[in-house]
Amino acid sequence: MSGINITRSISLHDWEIVEVFVRASGPGGQNVNKTSSAVQLRFHVANSPSLPDRVKTRILGSGDSRLTKEGEIVIHAERHRTQEANRRDALERLKKLIRDANIQPRKRIATRPTLGSKKRRLEAKKQRGEIKQNRGAVRLD
């Protein structure tokens, strides 16, 4: 199987990634008008047999703006002048996205505030209250 290695345990099949070449926007002179050097990489996360379920869940729940309603990631790469460089850039961004989703977030350990921090908080509240108490109209008794 020829594929794209993401991590030791995750590799994607070539057929899972669709690349479409489009014209790049921005500066580039006549070259930008003649060549389709920008790459639009599409990868269907929801239907991928290569990704573990936990990685799929993290990517689909991430709220990434590149994610479509159908569960497809669309990466648009046009940083470079050549098609090949843009292909590599898009693929690297996809790999980073999957690697980041593969990392298990640490569980938060609940802690209690220390006695000192409680006292400092109450003292700060008291000082702030005194400042506010001293505001207002000045009485001339």
mmCIF file with all atom_site columns, all heavy atoms in Angstrom, residues 33-57:
data_model
loop_
_atom_site.group_PDB
_atom_site.id
_atom_site.type_symbol
_atom_site.label_atom_id
_atom_site.label_alt_id
_atom_site.label_comp_id
_atom_site.label_asym_id
_atom_site.label_entity_id
_atom_site.label_seq_id
_atom_site.pdbx_PDB_ins_code
_atom_site.Cartn_x
_atom_site.Cartn_y
_atom_site.Cartn_z
_atom_site.occupancy
_atom_site.B_iso_or_equiv
_atom_site.pdbx_formal_charge
_atom_site.auth_seq_id
_atom_site.auth_comp_id
_atom_site.auth_asym_id
_atom_site.auth_atom_id
_atom_site.pdbx_PDB_model_num
ATOM 1   N N   . ASN A 1 33 ? -1.738  34.685 -13.802 1.00 0.00 ? 33 ASN A N   1
ATOM 2   C CA  . ASN A 1 33 ? -2.865  34.632 -14.740 1.00 0.00 ? 33 ASN A CA  1
ATOM 3   C C   . ASN A 1 33 ? -2.809  33.414 -15.655 1.00 0.00 ? 33 ASN A C   1
ATOM 4   O O   . ASN A 1 33 ? -3.805  33.028 -16.236 1.00 0.00 ? 33 ASN A O   1
ATOM 5   C CB  . ASN A 1 33 ? -2.889  35.896 -15.606 1.00 0.00 ? 33 ASN A CB  1
ATOM 6   C CG  . ASN A 1 33 ? -3.080  37.139 -14.768 1.00 0.00 ? 33 ASN A CG  1
ATOM 7   O OD1 . ASN A 1 33 ? -3.736  37.095 -13.744 1.00 0.00 ? 33 ASN A OD1 1
ATOM 8   N ND2 . ASN A 1 33 ? -2.485  38.236 -15.187 1.00 0.00 ? 33 ASN A ND2 1
ATOM 9   N N   . LYS A 1 34 ? -1.621  32.819 -15.795 1.00 0.00 ? 34 LYS A N   1
ATOM 10  C CA  . LYS A 1 34 ? -1.443  31.718 -16.742 1.00 0.00 ? 34 LYS A CA  1
ATOM 11  C C   . LYS A 1 34 ? -1.498  30.341 -16.105 1.00 0.00 ? 34 LYS A C   1
ATOM 12  O O   . LYS A 1 34 ? -1.896  29.378 -16.741 1.00 0.00 ? 34 LYS A O   1
ATOM 13  C CB  . LYS A 1 34 ? -0.085  31.850 -17.450 1.00 0.00 ? 34 LYS A CB  1
ATOM 14  C CG  . LYS A 1 34 ? 0.027   33.037 -18.366 1.00 0.00 ? 34 LYS A CG  1
ATOM 15  C CD  . LYS A 1 34 ? 1.291   32.974 -19.183 1.00 0.00 ? 34 LYS A CD  1
ATOM 16  C CE  . LYS A 1 34 ? 2.513   32.981 -18.301 1.00 0.00 ? 34 LYS A CE  1
ATOM 17  N NZ  . LYS A 1 34 ? 3.764   33.022 -19.051 1.00 0.00 ? 34 LYS A NZ  1
ATOM 18  N N   . THR A 1 35 ? -1.032  30.225 -14.862 1.00 0.00 ? 35 THR A N   1
ATOM 19  C CA  . THR A 1 35 ? -0.870  28.901 -14.271 1.00 0.00 ? 35 THR A CA  1
ATOM 20  C C   . THR A 1 35 ? -1.842  28.664 -13.129 1.00 0.00 ? 35 THR A C   1
ATOM 21  O O   . THR A 1 35 ? -2.210  29.581 -12.415 1.00 0.00 ? 35 THR A O   1
ATOM 22  C CB  . THR A 1 35 ? 0.557   28.709 -13.741 1.00 0.00 ? 35 THR A CB  1
ATOM 23  O OG1 . THR A 1 35 ? 0.796   29.702 -12.742 1.00 0.00 ? 35 THR A OG1 1
ATOM 24  C CG2 . THR A 1 35 ? 1.582   28.838 -14.835 1.00 0.00 ? 35 THR A CG2 1
ATOM 25  N N   . SER A 1 36 ? -2.223  27.413 -12.965 1.00 0.00 ? 36 SER A N   1
ATOM 26  C CA  . SER A 1 36 ? -3.062  27.009 -11.832 1.00 0.00 ? 36 SER A CA  1
ATOM 27  C C   . SER A 1 36 ? -2.142  26.434 -10.767 1.00 0.00 ? 36 SER A C   1
ATOM 28  O O   . SER A 1 36 ? -1.966  25.226 -10.664 1.00 0.00 ? 36 SER A O   1
ATOM 29  C CB  . SER A 1 36 ? -4.096  25.972 -12.273 1.00 0.00 ? 36 SER A CB  1
ATOM 30  O OG  . SER A 1 36 ? -4.969  26.533 -13.203 1.00 0.00 ? 36 SER A OG  1
ATOM 31  N N   . SER A 1 37 ? -1.527  27.317 -9.992  1.00 0.00 ? 37 SER A N   1
ATOM 32  C CA  . SER A 1 37 ? -0.515  26.871 -9.027  1.00 0.00 ? 37 SER A CA  1
ATOM 33  C C   . SER A 1 37 ? -1.078  26.664 -7.626  1.00 0.00 ? 37 SER A C   1
ATOM 34  O O   . SER A 1 37 ? -0.461  26.011 -6.798  1.00 0.00 ? 37 SER A O   1
ATOM 35  C CB  . SER A 1 37 ? 0.648   27.865 -8.975  1.00 0.00 ? 37 SER A CB  1
ATOM 36  O OG  . SER A 1 37 ? 0.179   29.138 -8.597  1.00 0.00 ? 37 SER A OG  1
ATOM 37  N N   . ALA A 1 38 ? -2.249  27.196 -7.338  1.00 0.00 ? 38 ALA A N   1
ATOM 38  C CA  . ALA A 1 38 ? -2.838  27.010 -6.013  1.00 0.00 ? 38 ALA A CA  1
ATOM 39  C C   . ALA A 1 38 ? -3.456  25.615 -5.923  1.00 0.00 ? 38 ALA A C   1
ATOM 40  O O   . ALA A 1 38 ? -3.913  25.056 -6.917  1.00 0.00 ? 38 ALA A O   1
ATOM 41  C CB  . ALA A 1 38 ? -3.905  28.061 -5.743  1.00 0.00 ? 38 ALA A CB  1
ATOM 42  N N   . VAL A 1 39 ? -3.442  25.054 -4.726  1.00 0.00 ? 39 VAL A N   1
ATOM 43  C CA  . VAL A 1 39 ? -3.959  23.703 -4.515  1.00 0.00 ? 39 VAL A CA  1
ATOM 44  C C   . VAL A 1 39 ? -5.104  23.751 -3.516  1.00 0.00 ? 39 VAL A C   1
ATOM 45  O O   . VAL A 1 39 ? -5.008  24.401 -2.480  1.00 0.00 ? 39 VAL A O   1
ATOM 46  C CB  . VAL A 1 39 ? -2.851  22.768 -3.973  1.00 0.00 ? 39 VAL A CB  1
ATOM 47  C CG1 . VAL A 1 39 ? -3.410  21.389 -3.687  1.00 0.00 ? 39 VAL A CG1 1
ATOM 48  C CG2 . VAL A 1 39 ? -1.704  22.675 -4.939  1.00 0.00 ? 39 VAL A CG2 1
ATOM 49  N N   . GLN A 1 40 ? -6.171  23.052 -3.847  1.00 0.00 ? 40 GLN A N   1
ATOM 50  C CA  . GLN A 1 40 ? -7.279  22.879 -2.917  1.00 0.00 ? 40 GLN A CA  1
ATOM 51  C C   . GLN A 1 40 ? -7.306  21.389 -2.562  1.00 0.00 ? 40 GLN A C   1
ATOM 52  O O   . GLN A 1 40 ? -7.673  20.562 -3.387  1.00 0.00 ? 40 GLN A O   1
ATOM 53  C CB  . GLN A 1 40 ? -8.577  23.317 -3.574  1.00 0.00 ? 40 GLN A CB  1
ATOM 54  C CG  . GLN A 1 40 ? -9.722  23.416 -2.622  1.00 0.00 ? 40 GLN A CG  1
ATOM 55  C CD  . GLN A 1 40 ? -10.978 23.865 -3.329  1.00 0.00 ? 40 GLN A CD  1
ATOM 56  O OE1 . GLN A 1 40 ? -11.451 23.179 -4.225  1.00 0.00 ? 40 GLN A OE1 1
ATOM 57  N NE2 . GLN A 1 40 ? -11.504 25.005 -2.926  1.00 0.00 ? 40 GLN A NE2 1
ATOM 58  N N   . LEU A 1 41 ? -6.873  21.073 -1.352  1.00 0.00 ? 41 LEU A N   1
ATOM 59  C CA  . LEU A 1 41 ? -6.793  19.683 -0.897  1.00 0.00 ? 41 LEU A CA  1
ATOM 60  C C   . LEU A 1 41 ? -8.060  19.354 -0.118  1.00 0.00 ? 41 LEU A C   1
ATOM 61  O O   . LEU A 1 41 ? -8.462  20.114 0.755   1.00 0.00 ? 41 LEU A O   1
ATOM 62  C CB  . LEU A 1 41 ? -5.555  19.507 -0.014  1.00 0.00 ? 41 LEU A CB  1
ATOM 63  C CG  . LEU A 1 41 ? -5.264  18.112 0.497   1.00 0.00 ? 41 LEU A CG  1
ATOM 64  C CD1 . LEU A 1 41 ? -3.763  17.897 0.480   1.00 0.00 ? 41 LEU A CD1 1
ATOM 65  C CD2 . LEU A 1 41 ? -5.772  17.932 1.903   1.00 0.00 ? 41 LEU A CD2 1
ATOM 66  N N   . ARG A 1 42 ? -8.670  18.226 -0.453  1.00 0.00 ? 42 ARG A N   1
ATOM 67  C CA  . ARG A 1 42 ? -9.890  17.797 0.233   1.00 0.00 ? 42 ARG A CA  1
ATOM 68  C C   . ARG A 1 42 ? -9.662  16.428 0.848   1.00 0.00 ? 42 ARG A C   1
ATOM 69  O O   . ARG A 1 42 ? -9.138  15.529 0.189   1.00 0.00 ? 42 ARG A O   1
ATOM 70  C CB  . ARG A 1 42 ? -11.065 17.734 -0.744  1.00 0.00 ? 42 ARG A CB  1
ATOM 71  C CG  . ARG A 1 42 ? -11.478 19.085 -1.249  1.00 0.00 ? 42 ARG A CG  1
ATOM 72  C CD  . ARG A 1 42 ? -12.602 18.977 -2.268  1.00 0.00 ? 42 ARG A CD  1
ATOM 73  N NE  . ARG A 1 42 ? -13.201 20.275 -2.472  1.00 0.00 ? 42 ARG A NE  1
ATOM 74  C CZ  . ARG A 1 42 ? -14.197 20.775 -1.750  1.00 0.00 ? 42 ARG A CZ  1
ATOM 75  N NH1 . ARG A 1 42 ? -14.727 20.071 -0.775  1.00 0.00 ? 42 ARG A NH1 1
ATOM 76  N NH2 . ARG A 1 42 ? -14.664 21.972 -1.997  1.00 0.00 ? 42 ARG A NH2 1
ATOM 77  N N   . PHE A 1 43 ? -10.068 16.292 2.118   1.00 0.00 ? 43 PHE A N   1
ATOM 78  C CA  . PHE A 1 43 ? -9.928  15.020 2.824   1.00 0.00 ? 43 PHE A CA  1
ATOM 79  C C   . PHE A 1 43 ? -11.196 14.801 3.630   1.00 0.00 ? 43 PHE A C   1
ATOM 80  O O   . PHE A 1 43 ? -11.561 15.635 4.465   1.00 0.00 ? 43 PHE A O   1
ATOM 81  C CB  . PHE A 1 43 ? -8.702  15.059 3.744   1.00 0.00 ? 43 PHE A CB  1
ATOM 82  C CG  . PHE A 1 43 ? -8.577  13.849 4.619   1.00 0.00 ? 43 PHE A CG  1
ATOM 83  C CD1 . PHE A 1 43 ? -8.325  12.603 4.090   1.00 0.00 ? 43 PHE A CD1 1
ATOM 84  C CD2 . PHE A 1 43 ? -8.721  13.963 5.992   1.00 0.00 ? 43 PHE A CD2 1
ATOM 85  C CE1 . PHE A 1 43 ? -8.213  11.487 4.900   1.00 0.00 ? 43 PHE A CE1 1
ATOM 86  C CE2 . PHE A 1 43 ? -8.610  12.860 6.817   1.00 0.00 ? 43 PHE A CE2 1
ATOM 87  C CZ  . PHE A 1 43 ? -8.354  11.616 6.266   1.00 0.00 ? 43 PHE A CZ  1
ATOM 88  N N   . HIS A 1 44 ? -11.879 13.690 3.365   1.00 0.00 ? 44 HIS A N   1
ATOM 89  C CA  . HIS A 1 44 ? -13.146 13.402 4.035   1.00 0.00 ? 44 HIS A CA  1
ATOM 90  C C   . HIS A 1 44 ? -12.852 12.692 5.365   1.00 0.00 ? 44 HIS A C   1
ATOM 91  O O   . HIS A 1 44 ? -12.587 11.493 5.385   1.00 0.00 ? 44 HIS A O   1
ATOM 92  C CB  . HIS A 1 44 ? -14.048 12.546 3.139   1.00 0.00 ? 44 HIS A CB  1
ATOM 93  C CG  . HIS A 1 44 ? -15.486 12.816 3.369   1.00 0.00 ? 44 HIS A CG  1
ATOM 94  N ND1 . HIS A 1 44 ? -16.142 12.481 4.541   1.00 0.00 ? 44 HIS A ND1 1
ATOM 95  C CD2 . HIS A 1 44 ? -16.404 13.426 2.600   1.00 0.00 ? 44 HIS A CD2 1
ATOM 96  C CE1 . HIS A 1 44 ? -17.389 12.853 4.456   1.00 0.00 ? 44 HIS A CE1 1
ATOM 97  N NE2 . HIS A 1 44 ? -17.583 13.434 3.283   1.00 0.00 ? 44 HIS A NE2 1
ATOM 98  N N   . VAL A 1 45 ? -12.902 13.452 6.439   1.00 0.00 ? 45 VAL A N   1
ATOM 99  C CA  . VAL A 1 45 ? -12.576 12.936 7.772   1.00 0.00 ? 45 VAL A CA  1
ATOM 100 C C   . VAL A 1 45 ? -13.595 11.890 8.217   1.00 0.00 ? 45 VAL A C   1
ATOM 101 O O   . VAL A 1 45 ? -13.232 10.817 8.694   1.00 0.00 ? 45 VAL A O   1
ATOM 102 C CB  . VAL A 1 45 ? -12.519 14.092 8.812   1.00 0.00 ? 45 VAL A CB  1
ATOM 103 C CG1 . VAL A 1 45 ? -12.254 13.555 10.196  1.00 0.00 ? 45 VAL A CG1 1
ATOM 104 C CG2 . VAL A 1 45 ? -11.479 15.111 8.412   1.00 0.00 ? 45 VAL A CG2 1
ATOM 105 N N   . ALA A 1 46 ? -14.858 12.201 8.048   1.00 0.00 ? 46 ALA A N   1
ATOM 106 C CA  . ALA A 1 46 ? -15.926 11.329 8.551   1.00 0.00 ? 46 ALA A CA  1
ATOM 107 C C   . ALA A 1 46 ? -15.909 9.941  7.896   1.00 0.00 ? 46 ALA A C   1
ATOM 108 O O   . ALA A 1 46 ? -16.218 8.946  8.545   1.00 0.00 ? 46 ALA A O   1
ATOM 109 C CB  . ALA A 1 46 ? -17.280 11.991 8.344   1.00 0.00 ? 46 ALA A CB  1
ATOM 110 N N   . ASN A 1 47 ? -15.525 9.859  6.626   1.00 0.00 ? 47 ASN A N   1
ATOM 111 C CA  . ASN A 1 47 ? -15.550 8.580  5.907   1.00 0.00 ? 47 ASN A CA  1
ATOM 112 C C   . ASN A 1 47 ? -14.188 7.911  5.812   1.00 0.00 ? 47 ASN A C   1
ATOM 113 O O   . ASN A 1 47 ? -14.060 6.907  5.116   1.00 0.00 ? 47 ASN A O   1
ATOM 114 C CB  . ASN A 1 47 ? -16.102 8.786  4.491   1.00 0.00 ? 47 ASN A CB  1
ATOM 115 C CG  . ASN A 1 47 ? -17.559 9.179  4.509   1.00 0.00 ? 47 ASN A CG  1
ATOM 116 O OD1 . ASN A 1 47 ? -18.236 9.054  5.517   1.00 0.00 ? 47 ASN A OD1 1
ATOM 117 N ND2 . ASN A 1 47 ? -18.045 9.676  3.392   1.00 0.00 ? 47 ASN A ND2 1
ATOM 118 N N   . SER A 1 48 ? -13.184 8.437  6.460   1.00 0.00 ? 48 SER A N   1
ATOM 119 C CA  . SER A 1 48 ? -11.838 7.885  6.334   1.00 0.00 ? 48 SER A CA  1
ATOM 120 C C   . SER A 1 48 ? -11.695 6.582  7.122   1.00 0.00 ? 48 SER A C   1
ATOM 121 O O   . SER A 1 48 ? -11.898 6.555  8.332   1.00 0.00 ? 48 SER A O   1
ATOM 122 C CB  . SER A 1 48 ? -10.809 8.892  6.841   1.00 0.00 ? 48 SER A CB  1
ATOM 123 O OG  . SER A 1 48 ? -9.528  8.306  6.845   1.00 0.00 ? 48 SER A OG  1
ATOM 124 N N   . PRO A 1 49 ? -11.285 5.503  6.459   1.00 0.00 ? 49 PRO A N   1
ATOM 125 C CA  . PRO A 1 49 ? -11.054 4.245  7.177   1.00 0.00 ? 49 PRO A CA  1
ATOM 126 C C   . PRO A 1 49 ? -9.704  4.231  7.900   1.00 0.00 ? 49 PRO A C   1
ATOM 127 O O   . PRO A 1 49 ? -9.471  3.371  8.746   1.00 0.00 ? 49 PRO A O   1
ATOM 128 C CB  . PRO A 1 49 ? -11.089 3.198  6.062   1.00 0.00 ? 49 PRO A CB  1
ATOM 129 C CG  . PRO A 1 49 ? -10.648 3.934  4.852   1.00 0.00 ? 49 PRO A CG  1
ATOM 130 C CD  . PRO A 1 49 ? -11.138 5.342  5.013   1.00 0.00 ? 49 PRO A CD  1
ATOM 131 N N   . SER A 1 50 ? -8.840  5.182  7.598   1.00 0.00 ? 50 SER A N   1
ATOM 132 C CA  . SER A 1 50 ? -7.485  5.197  8.156   1.00 0.00 ? 50 SER A CA  1
ATOM 133 C C   . SER A 1 50 ? -7.396  5.858  9.526   1.00 0.00 ? 50 SER A C   1
ATOM 134 O O   . SER A 1 50 ? -6.470  5.574  10.279  1.00 0.00 ? 50 SER A O   1
ATOM 135 C CB  . SER A 1 50 ? -6.544  5.937  7.206   1.00 0.00 ? 50 SER A CB  1
ATOM 136 O OG  . SER A 1 50 ? -6.612  5.373  5.924   1.00 0.00 ? 50 SER A OG  1
ATOM 137 N N   . LEU A 1 51 ? -8.324  6.747  9.822   1.00 0.00 ? 51 LEU A N   1
ATOM 138 C CA  . LEU A 1 51 ? -8.257  7.488  11.088  1.00 0.00 ? 51 LEU A CA  1
ATOM 139 C C   . LEU A 1 51 ? -8.974  6.739  12.205  1.00 0.00 ? 51 LEU A C   1
ATOM 140 O O   . LEU A 1 51 ? -10.090 6.247  12.005  1.00 0.00 ? 51 LEU A O   1
ATOM 141 C CB  . LEU A 1 51 ? -8.898  8.875  10.947  1.00 0.00 ? 51 LEU A CB  1
ATOM 142 C CG  . LEU A 1 51 ? -8.181  9.895  10.096  1.00 0.00 ? 51 LEU A CG  1
ATOM 143 C CD1 . LEU A 1 51 ? -8.965  11.198 10.088  1.00 0.00 ? 51 LEU A CD1 1
ATOM 144 C CD2 . LEU A 1 51 ? -6.774  10.140 10.581  1.00 0.00 ? 51 LEU A CD2 1
ATOM 145 N N   . PRO A 1 52 ? -8.358  6.696  13.392  1.00 0.00 ? 52 PRO A N   1
ATOM 146 C CA  . PRO A 1 52 ? -9.066  6.130  14.551  1.00 0.00 ? 52 PRO A CA  1
ATOM 147 C C   . PRO A 1 52 ? -10.264 7.005  14.916  1.00 0.00 ? 52 PRO A C   1
ATOM 148 O O   . PRO A 1 52 ? -10.273 8.208  14.645  1.00 0.00 ? 52 PRO A O   1
ATOM 149 C CB  . PRO A 1 52 ? -8.016  6.158  15.664  1.00 0.00 ? 52 PRO A CB  1
ATOM 150 C CG  . PRO A 1 52 ? -6.714  6.374  15.004  1.00 0.00 ? 52 PRO A CG  1
ATOM 151 C CD  . PRO A 1 52 ? -6.990  7.064  13.709  1.00 0.00 ? 52 PRO A CD  1
ATOM 152 N N   . ASP A 1 53 ? -11.269 6.406  15.538  1.00 0.00 ? 53 ASP A N   1
ATOM 153 C CA  . ASP A 1 53 ? -12.494 7.139  15.890  1.00 0.00 ? 53 ASP A CA  1
ATOM 154 C C   . ASP A 1 53 ? -12.227 8.329  16.799  1.00 0.00 ? 53 ASP A C   1
ATOM 155 O O   . ASP A 1 53 ? -12.843 9.379  16.644  1.00 0.00 ? 53 ASP A O   1
ATOM 156 C CB  . ASP A 1 53 ? -13.512 6.199  16.542  1.00 0.00 ? 53 ASP A CB  1
ATOM 157 C CG  . ASP A 1 53 ? -14.119 5.233  15.538  1.00 0.00 ? 53 ASP A CG  1
ATOM 158 O OD1 . ASP A 1 53 ? -14.106 5.550  14.334  1.00 0.00 ? 53 ASP A OD1 1
ATOM 159 O OD2 . ASP A 1 53 ? -14.595 4.168  15.960  1.00 0.00 ? 53 ASP A OD2 1
ATOM 160 N N   . ARG A 1 54 ? -11.290 8.183  17.747  1.00 0.00 ? 54 ARG A N   1
ATOM 161 C CA  . ARG A 1 54 ? -11.009 9.301  18.672  1.00 0.00 ? 54 ARG A CA  1
ATOM 162 C C   . ARG A 1 54 ? -10.439 10.508 17.926  1.00 0.00 ? 54 ARG A C   1
ATOM 163 O O   . ARG A 1 54 ? -10.773 11.651 18.246  1.00 0.00 ? 54 ARG A O   1
ATOM 164 C CB  . ARG A 1 54 ? -10.070 8.855  19.789  1.00 0.00 ? 54 ARG A CB  1
ATOM 165 C CG  . ARG A 1 54 ? -8.739  8.352  19.324  1.00 0.00 ? 54 ARG A CG  1
ATOM 166 C CD  . ARG A 1 54 ? -7.861  7.825  20.465  1.00 0.00 ? 54 ARG A CD  1
ATOM 167 N NE  . ARG A 1 54 ? -6.733  7.102  19.971  1.00 0.00 ? 54 ARG A NE  1
ATOM 168 C CZ  . ARG A 1 54 ? -5.669  7.657  19.384  1.00 0.00 ? 54 ARG A CZ  1
ATOM 169 N NH1 . ARG A 1 54 ? -5.617  8.952  19.255  1.00 0.00 ? 54 ARG A NH1 1
ATOM 170 N NH2 . ARG A 1 54 ? -4.676  6.920  18.938  1.00 0.00 ? 54 ARG A NH2 1
ATOM 171 N N   . VAL A 1 55 ? -9.626  10.268 16.895  1.00 0.00 ? 55 VAL A N   1
ATOM 172 C CA  . VAL A 1 55 ? -9.056  11.363 16.101  1.00 0.00 ? 55 VAL A CA  1
ATOM 173 C C   . VAL A 1 55 ? -10.152 12.007 15.256  1.00 0.00 ? 55 VAL A C   1
ATOM 174 O O   . VAL A 1 55 ? -10.236 13.240 15.178  1.00 0.00 ? 55 VAL A O   1
ATOM 175 C CB  . VAL A 1 55 ? -7.895  10.852 15.217  1.00 0.00 ? 55 VAL A CB  1
ATOM 176 C CG1 . VAL A 1 55 ? -7.388  11.945 14.299  1.00 0.00 ? 55 VAL A CG1 1
ATOM 177 C CG2 . VAL A 1 55 ? -6.769  10.306 16.078  1.00 0.00 ? 55 VAL A CG2 1
ATOM 178 N N   . LYS A 1 56 ? -11.007 11.177 14.653  1.00 0.00 ? 56 LYS A N   1
ATOM 179 C CA  . LYS A 1 56 ? -12.137 11.703 13.870  1.00 0.00 ? 56 LYS A CA  1
ATOM 180 C C   . LYS A 1 56 ? -13.013 12.601 14.729  1.00 0.00 ? 56 LYS A C   1
ATOM 181 O O   . LYS A 1 56 ? -13.398 13.699 14.323  1.00 0.00 ? 56 LYS A O   1
ATOM 182 C CB  . LYS A 1 56 ? -12.994 10.558 13.325  1.00 0.00 ? 56 LYS A CB  1
ATOM 183 C CG  . LYS A 1 56 ? -12.434 9.836  12.162  1.00 0.00 ? 56 LYS A CG  1
ATOM 184 C CD  . LYS A 1 56 ? -13.448 8.796  11.703  1.00 0.00 ? 56 LYS A CD  1
ATOM 185 C CE  . LYS A 1 56 ? -12.855 7.826  10.734  1.00 0.00 ? 56 LYS A CE  1
ATOM 186 N NZ  . LYS A 1 56 ? -13.819 6.825  10.292  1.00 0.00 ? 56 LYS A NZ  1
ATOM 187 N N   . THR A 1 57 ? -13.325 12.115 15.939  1.00 0.00 ? 57 THR A N   1
ATOM 188 C CA  . THR A 1 57 ? -14.197 12.866 16.845  1.00 0.00 ? 57 THR A CA  1
ATOM 189 C C   . THR A 1 57 ? -13.595 14.218 17.201  1.00 0.00 ? 57 THR A C   1
ATOM 190 O O   . THR A 1 57 ? -14.288 15.238 17.208  1.00 0.00 ? 57 THR A O   1
ATOM 191 C CB  . THR A 1 57 ? -14.445 12.054 18.131  1.00 0.00 ? 57 THR A CB  1
ATOM 192 O OG1 . THR A 1 57 ? -14.949 10.777 17.767  1.00 0.00 ? 57 THR A OG1 1
ATOM 193 C CG2 . THR A 1 57 ? -15.432 12.746 19.039  1.00 0.00 ? 57 THR A CG2 1
#
